[in-house]
Amino acid sequence: MASTADFKNGLVIEYNHDLYAITEFQHVKPGKGPAFVRTKLKSIRTGKVLDNTFTSGVKVVTARIEKRPHQFLFIDDYGYNLMNSETFEQVAVPKELINAPQLMKDGQEVDVLFHAETESVLSVELPAYVELVVTYTEPGIKGDTATNATKAATLETGAEIQVPLFINQDDKIKVDTRTNSYGERVK
């Protein structure tokens, strides 16, 4: 249990039968009436953000969330199989809990968020950028770089993204996993 005085960014609380992380909070003491805390809460499971106001001093239930390093192994009927990098235990995770499953390749390092009390997987986060090889794209036309034109490219994982015209087949590029977009070419 924690009170509103213990609020800080990143604190995970149980609220309305779900887990929420505090992304913003502001303690307000109006001239008339009791003090209160205005918060923005982000759902751990769905990512939905909601505004909520807590009366100052109210008690809330905190949840312990742990981030553990894992490595992606393979996909089967049970989901995406990940191995803990420290204990070598394996866990199968459904596709819905991964932020960018189409960009995962064998051996990819990921962070898995666990609810410490129940040992259940909450989400799987890829690094902000992953390096992937372009397996197919149309050849670029020389001199056609005056505009910010893009073309489709297929990556080694099978995902398709838009890339600039100067990217060729077998080029290694950085892909932003949060927006599923081209970042830069890797030398």
Side-chain angles (χ1 to χ4, degrees):
M1 296 290 283
S3 73
T4 54
D6 300 323
F7 279 8
K8 61 184 177 197
N9 290 341
L11 179 70
V12 178
I13 62 172
E14 291 180 21
Y15 178 72
N16 284 350
H17 309 294
D18 200 1
L19 295 174
Y20 288 91
I22 297 174
T23 57
E24 286 181 35
F25 71 98
Q26 179 183 18
H27 189 357
V28 179
K29 180 150 177 40
K32 184 177 179 184
F36 57 90
V37 178
R38 212 178 269 137
T39 61
K40 280 192 189 277
L41 304 173
K42 182 177 181 179
S43 173
I44 299 287
R45 298 183 206 284
T46 63
K48 182 179 169 187
V49 177
L50 61 97
D51 294 324
N52 192 32
T53 303
F54 293 96
T55 306
S56 188
V58 72
K59 300 279 187 197
V60 293
V61 178
T62 58
R64 213 174 83 225
I65 303 297
E66 294 178 358
K67 187 182 282 192
R68 301 177 190 159
H70 280 68
Q71 183 179 27
F72 172 60
L73 299 176
F74 59 90
I75 303 171
D76 64 6
D77 296 339
Y78 299 107
Y80 287 72
N81 287 278
L82 307 171
M83 178 182 67
N84 189 317
S85 301
E86 296 162 354
T87 64
F88 305 110
E89 291 178 11
Q90 291 186 21
V91 62
V93 178
K95 183 178 183 176
E96 298 79 40
L97 297 180
I98 304 171
N99 68 340
Q102 71 279 7
L103 298 176
M104 285 178 64
K105 64 179 182 177
D106 294 344
Q108 178 75 52
E109 294 291 327
V110 296
D111 287 328
V112 180
L113 288 179
F114 279 90
H115 187 246
E117 283 87 29
T118 62
E119 281 299 313
S120 61
V121 176
L122 298 173
S123 69
V124 177
E125 297 174 354
L126 271 74
Y129 289 93
V130 292
E131 293 181 3
L132 298 170
V133 175
V134 175
T135 56
Y136 176 76
T137 188
E138 295 291 330
I141 300 167
K142 188 170 184 168
D144 194 8
T145 57
T147 62
N148 287 337
T150 59
K151 60 183 178 179
T154 305
L155 304 175
E156 64 183 294
T157 61
E160 280 198 13
I161 65 167
Q162 294 294 315
V163 296
L165 295 174
F166 59 83
I167 298 295
N168 297 315
Q169 193 167 320
D170 298 326
D171 281 355
K172 191 178 227 184
I173 61 172
K174 276 190 179 178
V175 180
D176 189 335
T177 59
R178 298 160 296 190
T179 61
N180 202 22
S181 62
Y182 169 82
E184 64 183 0
R185 184 166 36 181
V186 178
K187 302 284 186 226

